[in-house]
Amino acid sequence: MLAGEFALIDTIRQRASGRAELQLGIGDDCSILQLPAGHELLTSTDLLLEGVHFRLDWTDLPSLGFKSVAVNVSDLAAMGGNPLALYLGVGLPADFSDAQLTGFLDGIFTGLTEYDLALAGGDTCRSRGGMMISVTVQGSVPKGQAILRSGASPGDDLWVSGTLGDSALALRTLGAGLPVSAFLAERHFRPSARLRLGTRLAEQQLATAMIDLSDGLSGDLRHLLKASETGARVEVARLPLSAEFNAALRADPGLLDLALCGGEDYELLFCAHPAKRAEIELLSQFLALPLRRIGGLTAETDLKFCLANGQAYQPQRAAFDHFRPGKDGSA
Ligand code: ADP
Ligand code: MG
C-alpha cells in the first residue's frame, strides 16, 4: 500500500537534483527554467500505458522507469537538443506496492542521470485502470539549429545509427511464449536514446533532416519524406542488423520485415549531404556508435526498398498505428 500523494511527491523531491538552468523545481505550481542565451526551447511528451505500451508481467520496474525517460529523450535527440528538464506524470493502480514504486523511481533517476536531466515537476494520481506514465522532456538548442524532419533534399545520403529490428524481434519472441536473450531483452526493455549523436549532428551541422525510429524504419522514414517532400531508395542489404538478428533471420527469412517495419528501435535516422561522409564516419568512431549509410533521397516522392540484385522489395507489415481498425495496439 502506498503512502499518500504528498508523501510520495516528497520522496520524489528529495531524490531530485537540480541544475543551473532550473531556477525553481518541484514544489510550486510551475517550474521556472532559464534558457541559455541565444537558445530555443524544445518540448516533447510521451504517454506509456499499461496493456498498450508495456506489460508489468514482462518488464521489471527499473527498466520501465528507464525506458520512460529514454523514449522521451529520443525525441529530443532527434532534434539535436541539449537536455534540460523532465516532468513525470504517473497514474498508479490501487494495488501498486512501495517496492514497485521504488523500483520504478530507481529506473527514472538512472535515466535522469544518464541523460543529464533535472526532474522539474510532474503530477501524481491514483489510476482506476492500469498504470499510466506521462513524460515530458525539455531541452535547448542554439537558435535556428534544431534538425527538423523537413530539411532533406534529393541527393542527400540516408543514415541510421545502431542496429534495426532487435526490439521488435524481442517482442515477437516473448509473444510466442519463448525466452529472449539478454541482448534482445535490453534492446526492447531498456533502449538507449542516441542523445550524444543528436547533439553532435546539430553542433557540427552535419544533418539536413532527422527523426527517431519509434514506429519502425518504413513508417518513420515516410514521415520524414513527406515533411521534406522527397522520396528515398533504401538498400535492404545495407541495413545494420545485430548478430542475434542475423541468426534469427537465417532461420526465418520472413523476419526481415521486423527490421524494416518493427517499432521501438529508438535509433536516429538522418539525412546528410554526401560531402559530409568522412565527418560522419569520424563521429561514429568518436561516439563508438555504428552509423550506416542505407540509401539516398530521390526527387520522386516515393519510398523504394531494393534488394542486392536490384529487385524492389515490398514489406508485408504496415507501420504501427494505434487507431488502425482491428488493432488493439497491445504490445
Ligand atoms: P498542483 O496541485 O498545483 O498540480 P501538486 O500537488 O500536484 O500541485 O504538485 C506539487 C509539486 O510536486 C509540483 O511542483 C509538481 O510539479 C510536483 N510533482 C507532483 N507529482 C510529481 C511527480 N510524479 N514527479 C515529479 N514532481 C511531481
Ligand atoms: Mg498536480
Side-chain angles (χ1 to χ4, degrees), residues 89-117:
V90 281
L92 300 174
D95 60 358
F96 209 72
S97 71
D98 268 324
Q100 284 178 300
L101 181 67
T102 303
F104 176 68
L105 291 177
D106 285 348
I108 292 282
F109 282 100
T110 303
L112 292 168
T113 306
E114 169 87 18
Y115 299 114
D116 196 20
L117 284 158

Side-chain angles (χ1 to χ4, degrees), residues 48-300:
L48 289 94
L49 305 180
E50 184 181 344
V52 178
H53 301 96
F54 62 90
R55 289 174 50 157
L56 288 177
D57 56 340
W58 280 1
T59 182
D60 63 279
L61 271 298
S63 295
L64 180 62
F66 183 84
K67 182 170 178 174
S68 304
V69 174
V71 302
N72 206 218
V73 170
S74 179
D75 288 314
L76 188 61
M79 302 285 283
N82 298 290
L84 285 174
L86 184 130
Y87 300 80
L88 172 67
V90 281
L92 300 174
D95 60 358
F96 209 72
S97 71
D98 268 324
Q100 284 178 300
L101 181 67
T102 303
F104 176 68
L105 291 177
D106 285 348
I108 292 282
F109 282 100
T110 303
L112 292 168
T113 306
E114 169 87 18
Y115 299 114
D116 196 20
L117 284 158
L119 185 60
D123 205 13
T124 308
C125 298
R126 166 69 48 88
S127 165
R128 289 185 192 278
M131 183 181 184
M132 288 177 270
I133 307 162
S134 164
V135 186
T136 300
V137 73
Q138 291 185 316
S140 70
V141 70
K143 211 170 169 44
Q145 276 185 26
I147 305 172
L148 311 188
R149 296 177 179 183
S150 54
S153 313
D156 281 358
D157 291 331
L158 186 63
W159 293 81
V160 73
S161 65
T163 55
L164 299 177
D166 301 320
S167 177
L169 178 59
L171 197 59
R172 187 177 191 275
T173 308
L174 284 167
L178 300 169
V180 285
S181 68
F183 168 79
L184 290 178
E186 166 116 4
R187 293 285 288 155
H188 181 70
F189 291 114
R190 240 183 145 78
S192 296
R194 303 306 188 186
L195 185 63
R196 281 178 0 115
L197 173 61
T199 51
R200 281 283 174 158
L201 288 172
E203 270 169 37
Q204 296 179 226
Q205 306 198 0
L206 291 175
T208 54
M210 183 152 60
I211 189 168
D212 69 318
L213 296 180
S214 53
D215 296 337
L217 171 67
S218 167
D220 288 324
L221 174 54
R222 276 177 216 279
H223 295 316
L224 184 149
L225 296 178
K226 188 163 181 230
S228 289
E229 297 175 17
T230 58
R233 177 186 162 99
V234 173
E235 309 293 338
V236 173
R238 294 188 64 87
L239 294 181
L241 305 176
S242 66
E244 301 224 10
F245 191 94
N246 265 320
L249 190 60
R250 278 193 292 278
D252 179 359
L255 294 179
L256 178 62
D257 285 2
L258 292 181
L260 291 170
C261 311
E264 299 205 283
D265 288 319
Y266 298 106
E267 296 296 346
L268 291 180
L269 179 75
F270 61 95
C271 306
H273 194 272
K276 305 287 187 187
R277 283 179 194 172
E279 258 184 283
I280 291 170
E281 299 288 358
L282 266 180
L283 181 58
S284 170
Q285 282 170 30
F286 173 75
L287 296 174
L289 175 66
L291 299 177
R292 176 77 61 86
R293 191 157 47 81
I294 60 169
L297 299 201
T298 56
E300 307 92 72

